[in-house]
Amino acid sequence: MTTPPALLIAGHGTRDDAGAEAFRDFVRQLGARHPELPVAGGFIELSPPPLGEAVTELVEQGVRRFAAVPLMLVSAGHAKGDIPAALAREKERHPGISYTYGRPLGPHPALLNVLERRLDEALGSAGRTPGDRADVTVLLVGRGSTDPDANAEVHKAARLLWEGRGYAGVETAFVSLAAPDVPSGLDRCVRLGARRIVVLPYFLFTGILPDRVRHQTEGWAAAHPEVEVLSADVIGPEPELLDLVWERYEEAVKGDLRMNCDSCVYRIALPGFEDKVGMPQQPHFHPDDDHHHGHHHGAHSHAH
């Protein structure tokens, strides 16, 4: 019987210790769920362990084949460039290994169901029932990217969240690198007639950026007491997320990836991004990979 490939989880990384530990705990949960195969996880930047260390951990367990799944909601620079380049580098470091690469997570119906649950929890905390949706406007807040395709994925998630769930509307904002920002998104909701808004962070785990979303929301709400504003929680390590990562793993193993490249800036000349077509992808060095490479993170600010 052929041994199934191991599972490698690739995370973004965060300066928030709780967020990094949430990722590491998630990897442990996946391993406990699937004792039949080695499971490891690492980060592209900011947090230990680096992705290269996770690959080494698998190799030291005798792994020669693995499937890598990016634990990311949208396909931005990390999923499109940094992780594939890092995996190619690991293949050079560890001759004889082979891997397949899965696709990012969202927007998947299972995650939309978790987002809906987070909205219900926020409304419940204010004494409202899930049925009280007709006058609720949702502001879905994504990470934000200089990649228009990644930002469009957040808009797609917003539209899918709106369809069939009975909210007054679902608008979109970003916490970094893209417009509109959170205050501008809240202003837009009000201009569209909203009087009750739930701000919903489109993030997997806690961290610096979800905290920033909440702080900006609270600041705006304090300046607009006439509008009811509630903050929902991040997706978190829910069973649906564990199931979805496994689904992405099985896709990668079977070669059924269905990657959407129709609006990828590295393949298609989009207005204002023509210079990115065919751009070679370089590994995104994790600070812990090599203490002598002199890398500065700002050089890769496009990849968020």
Side-chain angles (χ1 to χ4, degrees):
M1 181 177 173
T2 305
T3 304
L7 170 57
L8 175 69
I9 308 297
H12 179 284
T14 173
R15 290 185 177 87
D16 182 80
D17 290 341
E21 183 54 32
F23 170 90
R24 291 188 289 261
D25 186 59
F26 183 81
V27 172
R28 287 190 288 267
Q29 287 185 55
L30 269 172
R33 262 193 175 204
H34 300 283
E36 73 280 7
L37 80 163
V39 177
F43 296 102
I44 285 295
E45 61 183 8
L46 302 175
S47 318
L51 194 63
E53 188 175 303
V55 172
T56 299
E57 176 188 331
L58 291 175
V59 170
E60 288 176 350
Q61 295 177 54
V63 168
R64 289 295 173 266
R65 295 187 306 134
F66 64 87
V69 175
L71 197 69
M72 298 170 185
L73 289 169
V74 300
S75 186
H78 280 310
K80 289 177 179 177
D82 294 328
I83 296 173
L87 292 174
R89 182 184 63 196
E90 294 309 312
K91 194 163 189 247
E92 292 180 3
R93 285 183 177 175
H94 303 283
I97 67 169
S98 63
Y99 61 87
T100 54
Y101 184 46
R103 58 180 174 141
L105 304 177
H108 190 281
L111 294 186
L112 295 171
N113 290 339
V114 178
L115 292 172
E116 182 179 11
R117 196 154 70 237
R118 295 292 176 255
L119 290 169
D120 285 344
E121 290 165 359
L123 291 170
S125 69
R128 302 179 63 79
T129 69
D132 296 335
R133 292 182 175 181
D135 64 348
V136 172
T137 298
V138 178
L139 183 64
L140 184 70
V141 182
R143 174 182 293 274
S145 172
T146 55
D147 184 337
D149 188 32
N151 296 331
E153 285 288 299
V154 181
H155 280 267
K156 182 176 181 180
R159 184 71 203 192
L160 290 170
L161 186 63
W162 188 12
E163 296 277 0
R165 287 182 169 84
Y167 301 109
V170 180
E171 295 300 313
T172 309
F174 301 94
V175 74
S176 66
L177 296 174
D181 59 16
V182 174
S184 298
L186 288 163
D187 289 342
R188 174 178 169 80
C189 290
V190 171
R191 285 199 297 273
L192 291 171
R195 287 294 174 267
R196 179 168 290 108
I197 304 169
V198 182
V199 177
L200 177 62
Y202 193 43
F203 288 83
L204 292 174
F205 303 124
T206 56
I208 301 287
L209 294 181
D211 287 347
R212 187 181 301 168
V213 172
R214 186 176 288 268
H215 291 151
Q216 291 181 353
T217 299
E218 291 170 351
W220 188 93
H224 299 79
E226 73 282 5
V227 183
E228 182 183 355
V229 184
L230 303 171
S231 289
D233 285 331
V234 296
I235 290 169
E238 295 293 286
E240 290 94 335
L241 184 57
L242 289 155
D243 290 342
L244 177 54
V245 171
W246 186 252
E247 184 178 320
R248 293 288 186 257
Y249 164 80
E250 291 188 317
E251 287 174 0
V253 169
K254 295 172 185 172
D256 178 25
L257 296 182
R258 293 171 286 175
M259 195 73 79
N260 175 21
C261 295
D262 293 340
S263 51
C264 175
V265 290
Y266 301 113
R267 295 174 183 266
I268 307 298
L270 298 179
F273 298 88
E274 294 87 352
D275 61 316
K276 291 185 180 288
V277 175
M279 182 182 292
Q281 298 304 304
Q282 302 297 327
H284 188 119
F285 282 102
H286 191 289
D288 294 334
D289 280 338
D290 179 352
H291 296 296
H292 306 289
H293 54 62
H295 165 68
H296 293 283
H297 176 62
H300 288 265
S301 60
H302 71 278
H304 290 268

